[in-house]
Amino acid sequence: DAGVIQSPRHEVTEMGQEVTLRCKPISGHDYLFWYRQTMMRGLELLIYFNNNVPIDDSGMPEDRFSAKMPNASFSTLKIQPSEPRDSAVYFCASSPLSPPSGRVDTQYFGPGTRLTVL
Amino acid sequence: EDQVTQSPEALRLQEGESSSLNCSYTVSGLRGLFWYRQDPGKGPEFLFTLYSAGEEKEKERLKATLTKKESFLHITAPKPEDSATYLCAVQAEATGFQKLVFGTGTRLLVSP
């Protein structure tokens, strides 16, 4: 498997512009996660999906952020309008369905998208 | 509120000089504790999952241990290729199924 795929790898945009980040999870995984990583705050969960349905979006910072998962193999994270403080590395991760034991499954991360908002 | 604190923030070792990284956590019902390795410009790479106090796991020069309040990542005779940021994360019963809370990491540099 190719692993989690993210695009673009780098994005530079100007304040006020719309930004769309894309993610293709590992085939067969039921969960998809969007994270943001900054030096100050580390890795923060923004939102996660189970079987294409958003489960918890409490980490989404503002209404400017939105995420969709139209099918099992594709998700987008959109920022509109973008602001300089949105500059960060955005990661997508996926994990399979947890076994009946209740133990959590490993999350597999993509390479990330480095976003710079000028 | 669930919290994860990692120390030290940065660690510099000579090749072969063993040491330990610390991950202290405060959670309401631990479901699992994860260790990840992150290289510059890449996503976190899974290393270990620990589920209960007293559990230990090993992989090459790395050994992870877990108590009720903290986890240690022991690095024995490190090599330069072990240089990376090591992240600790917890999954707690109260924060929802599958949700991970990460620490800010320890940056490890191993010099030849």
Side-chain angles (χ1 to χ4, degrees), chain A residues 23-36:
Chain A
C23 174
K24 176 179 168 56
I26 294 172
S27 178
H29 281 192
D30 297 284
Y31 289 87
L32 183 139
F33 307 81
W34 282 101
Y35 289 87
R36 177 171 67 177

Side-chain angles (χ1 to χ4, degrees), chain B residues 16-101:
Chain B
E17 179 186 1
S18 301
S19 188
S20 297
L21 312 183
N22 178 264
C23 171
S24 298
Y25 62 90
T26 305
V27 297
S28 51
L30 181 72
R31 291 174 59 91
L33 185 141
F34 295 74
W35 281 99
Y36 282 84
R37 168 191 171 129
Q38 186 174 22
D39 292 297
K42 296 188 176 182
E45 177 188 348
F46 171 74
L47 293 173
F48 304 108
T49 309
L50 302 168
Y51 293 103
S52 57
E55 189 173 359
E56 299 182 351
K57 288 193 176 174
E58 289 187 64
K59 180 181 180 180
E60 296 181 354
R61 296 176 293 282
L62 301 178
K63 179 180 177 180
T65 62
L66 181 65
T67 72
K68 289 186 177 181
K69 295 183 178 181
E70 58 192 348
S71 177
F72 291 94
L73 185 65
H74 307 278
I75 304 176
T76 302
K79 297 182 178 182
E81 52 262 43
D82 294 322
S83 298
T85 295
Y86 290 86
L87 298 169
C88 170
V90 298
Q91 207 260 4
E93 293 175 353
T95 52
F97 190 55
Q98 287 281 1
K99 195 170 178 177
L100 293 181
V101 176

Side-chain angles (χ1 to χ4, degrees), chain A residues 9 31 33 35 37 40-43 45 48 56 58 91 95-96 98 102-111, chain B residues 31-32 34 36 38 41-46 49 51-52 55 87 91 95-100 102-104 107:
Chain A
R9 293 295 313 277
Y31 289 87
F33 307 81
Y35 289 87
Q37 187 175 42
M40 290 297 295
R41 299 175 67 88
L43 202 57
L45 177 66
Y48 77 94
D56 186 342
S58 59
F91 288 101
S95 72
S98 291
R103 292 194 162 179
V104 300
D105 261 307
T106 301
Q107 294 182 19
Y108 297 89
F109 284 76
Chain B
R31 291 174 59 91
F34 295 74
Y36 282 84
Q38 186 174 22
K42 296 188 176 182
E45 177 188 348
F46 171 74
T49 309
Y51 293 103
S52 57
E55 189 173 359
L87 298 169
Q91 207 260 4
T95 52
F97 190 55
Q98 287 281 1
K99 195 170 178 177
L100 293 181
F102 280 85
T104 52
R107 295 189 311 278

Side-chain angles (χ1 to χ4, degrees), chain A:
Chain A
D1 200 317
V4 176
I5 298 172
Q6 292 187 247
S7 65
R9 293 295 313 277
H10 302 274
E11 177 80 39
V12 180
T13 189
E14 293 189 348
M15 183 174 62
Q17 296 298 305
E18 178 180 294
V19 175
T20 299
L21 311 182
R22 297 172 176 80
C23 174
K24 176 179 168 56
I26 294 172
S27 178
H29 281 192
D30 297 284
Y31 289 87
L32 183 139
F33 307 81
W34 282 101
Y35 289 87
R36 177 171 67 177
Q37 187 175 42
T38 61
M39 288 293 292
M40 290 297 295
R41 299 175 67 88
L43 202 57
E44 300 175 286
L45 177 66
L46 300 176
I47 184 171
Y48 77 94
F49 296 81
N50 178 22
N51 291 327
N52 314 336
V53 176
I55 302 300
D56 186 342
D57 64 355
S58 59
M60 297 285 262
E62 301 173 33
D63 291 345
R64 298 184 297 107
F65 286 69
S66 62
K68 294 182 179 179
M69 192 165 185
N71 56 63
S73 59
F74 183 66
S75 177
T76 59
L77 178 68
K78 186 176 294 186
I79 308 173
Q80 165 64 16
S82 58
E83 297 183 3
R85 60 193 167 123
D86 301 330
S87 298
V89 181
Y90 291 81
F91 288 101
C92 176
S94 70
S95 72
L97 180 66
S98 291
S101 66
R103 292 194 162 179
V104 300
D105 261 307
T106 301
Q107 294 182 19
Y108 297 89
F109 284 76
T113 295
R114 181 173 294 277
L115 173 65
T116 302
V117 183
L118 303 175

